[in-house]
Every structure is written in C-alpha cells, then in structure tokens.
Amino acid sequence: MNGEHRMSASTWGLLLLLGLIWGGSFFFARIAVHDVPPFTLVFLRLSLAAVALHLYLAGRLGIYQSLRRHWPQFLLLGLINNAIPHTLIFCGQTQMGAGLASILNATTPMWTVLIGNQLTTDERLTSAKLAGCLTGLLGTIVLLGPSVTSGDSVPFWALLLPILAAISYGFAAIYAKRFKGIAPPVVAAGQLTGSSLIMLPVALMIDQPWALATPPVTAIAAILGLALLSTAFAYILYFRIIELAGATNTSLVTLLVPPSALLLGFLFLGERMGPTEIAGMLLIAAGLLVLDGRFFLWVKRGVRTRET
C-alpha cells in the first residue's frame, strides 16, 4: 500500500458512501428498466449526468479546450466506458435483479488485468494476479452454471451481458491512461458528453421514445437518481477520494458495490440470493482481494507485529 496515502475515518466514510451510490445504480436501473427501454434509459442517464457535470465545472479546468482538442478520444472512451457497458447492463437487468447484475459486473478488475497484460507493457500478469483472476472467474462460472443446466433460472444471454460490460470497462480502463494530462472531472464530463451524442440517435431509432407512455413517478425518480446521484455526483466523489487516498485505495470500492446493491435489492425490491449466488459472490470477492494484494500485506504485518 502506498505509504503516502492514509485512509482516515472520514475517507473511509466517503468510500463507503461511494460504494452505496454505485450499488444504487443497479437498484435504480432495476426500477426504471421496467418502464423505460434500455437505450432510452442509457441516454437519459448519460445526458442528464453530462449536463450536471458541465454545470458543476462551469467552464473551469479548460474543459472546452479539451473537448475541442480531444473530441475523438472522448467519443471512443464514452463508447466503451459508458454507452456499451450501460446498455449491456440495463438489457441484462430486464431479466435479473440488482444484486446479481452487480456481482457479475464486479469482475471488471479481473478483465482489466488480463487485458492490460496483453495490450500494455507496464501491466504484467504476476502469479498473484493470475490467482486472483482465476478465483474470480471461478466465481463467475458458478453464477453462470444454473442457467446452463436449468431452464428456470435467469437466461444465459442475460447473465453474459454484465460480464461483457465488465470486459468493456476493462478496455476503457486501459484506454483512459492516455488522458493523464487532463483533469479527471474534465475526462468524466468529456466521456459523458461523447456517449450522450452516441446514444441519442440510437435511442431515437430503436426505442422511438416519443411513442412511449409517460413513465410513472417511481421510474422518473429512479432515472434522476441514476443520472444525478449514481453518475454525476459519484464521479465528483470518486475523484475527491482519489485526491485524498490515492487510486489504489479508491479501487477498494469494487468490493463495496455488490453488497450495497444486494442490500438495496433486499430491502426495497424483495430480492433474495440463493446459495449459488452467495458462493459466486464470495469467490469473486476473494479474487478481488487477491488482486488487490493488501489483504496479504496486512496479514504479514500482523504476523510480524506478533513476532516482535
């Protein structure tokens, strides 16, 4: 763990809040997708969040210069980090609960490691990383198994969609490294602007939203929560935590999102997790802990402390 960054109680509080908010994105999507088609829902999430971030930045940090100079890169990042994964997750959530979708999507760090090993020279696959990836992938197989052997569970194609979204996030994480010289909030606003422009014609052509019935108040509230809380505010909070605790510590939020989504789904949507889902979640969480590496550092430090 980077000694330059210490996790204070307030920073831990912010990290827990971010985990709850990002877990809430699966909760909000599960509510909204019943009344709003996935492509339109993705566009509303991205465009409302983009507007909110532009208002927050108010022209600061050279956002307009960055948009003019790097618009092709923002379009590509918005495609693979927003438009594609959000669409896949929302389509999958037409068939599954918030908790299961969040668990499958929690495989993102594993795919990032595997992709980075192939596409970069500074993200090599160590034995510890390989062990973490294999453990997490085993958890994924456990979750996919019932859909292959039984027709009563979530359809196999629906389970694959959050995993494909996680792979897209993995490519985005590698591609995002080229934005190092740009302020992170500007990158967030840029990619959301680009992905909104991508999703607008898609939603108009496929969903024809003008012909849809007006969604109920619960769906509208879920859309606002998804866009303003789980996207715009979450990005601001995310970059604040990075500033306080560093990117490595902030990555711990990956472990907090599935429990948050499970809790919200249990409390408000009546969702239940069976033994298979719990086993898969525990295996994926174990894989993430191995990938992170700090769990073993803490154990070693504890042993050394007892020895002295």
Side-chain angles (χ1 to χ4, degrees):
M1 184 165 59
N2 188 348
E4 295 179 0
H5 296 288
R6 301 290 182 181
M7 292 284 284
S8 65
S10 60
T11 306
W12 274 111
L14 293 176
L15 193 71
L16 290 170
L17 177 61
L18 180 61
L20 180 63
I21 290 173
W22 270 344
S25 68
F26 295 92
F27 166 74
F28 291 134
R30 181 61 174 165
I31 295 173
V33 80
H34 284 298
D35 300 288
V36 181
F39 294 103
T40 299
L41 183 58
V42 173
F43 169 70
L44 290 173
R45 175 183 188 174
L46 299 176
S47 59
L48 291 173
V51 170
L53 280 181
H54 277 282
L55 292 174
Y56 167 75
L57 287 169
R60 296 180 293 113
L61 303 178
I63 180 172
Y64 300 129
Q65 297 90 323
S66 295
L67 285 174
R68 285 193 297 268
R69 189 176 304 132
H70 301 288
W71 66 266
Q73 290 83 6
F74 283 133
L75 280 174
L76 180 55
L77 183 62
L79 177 68
I80 61 178
N81 202 38
N82 297 138
I84 289 176
H86 291 350
T87 299
L88 292 171
I89 292 170
F90 291 172
C91 288
Q93 285 200 257
T94 62
Q95 304 292 321
M96 76 181 80
L100 182 55
S102 69
I103 293 170
L104 291 168
N105 195 241
T107 59
T108 295
M110 299 159 201
W111 298 113
T112 303
V113 167
L114 295 173
I115 293 167
N117 182 65
Q118 294 297 317
L119 300 183
T120 68
T121 57
D122 60 340
E123 296 280 352
R124 308 315 301 172
L125 189 62
T126 64
S127 57
K129 289 181 177 180
L130 180 60
C133 288
L134 291 177
T135 304
L137 293 177
L138 177 61
T140 306
I141 293 171
V142 169
L143 291 173
L144 293 177
S147 69
V148 177
T149 59
S150 171
D152 298 329
S153 59
V154 177
F156 182 71
W157 63 265
L159 291 171
L160 279 180
L161 295 185
I163 299 173
L164 293 174
I167 295 173
S168 185
Y169 281 134
F171 279 106
I174 301 302
Y175 183 73
K177 289 185 176 183
R178 63 184 59 202
F179 293 88
K180 279 186 177 179
I182 305 175
V186 172
V187 177
Q191 66 174 324
L192 287 170
T193 302
S195 55
S196 298
L197 294 174
I198 292 170
M199 290 305 302
L200 177 59
V202 176
L204 291 175
M205 287 187 293
I206 297 178
D207 291 340
Q208 299 182 350
W210 60 85
L212 301 174
T214 303
V217 174
T218 53
I220 294 174
I223 292 169
L224 293 175
L226 191 61
L228 302 181
L229 184 62
S230 294
T231 307
F233 178 70
Y235 269 127
I236 296 170
L237 184 59
Y238 174 72
F239 294 129
R240 175 60 178 161
I241 298 172
I242 287 180
E243 181 182 350
L244 292 172
T248 302
N249 285 326
T250 307
S251 67
L252 285 172
V253 72
T254 310
L255 294 168
L256 303 175
V257 172
S260 299
L262 286 168
L263 179 62
L264 291 169
F266 172 77
L267 291 176
F268 299 105
L269 301 177
E271 295 179 1
R272 298 292 187 273
M273 300 298 289
T276 300
E277 288 82 3
I278 293 173
M281 180 180 68
L282 292 176
L283 282 168
I284 290 173
L288 293 174
L289 284 171
V290 174
L291 274 178
D292 182 70
R294 276 171 296 182
F295 175 76
F296 300 103
L297 287 177
W298 291 334
V299 171
K300 288 180 180 178
R301 287 174 181 173
V303 172
R304 289 171 185 168
T305 300
R306 286 194 296 270
E307 289 176 349
T308 56

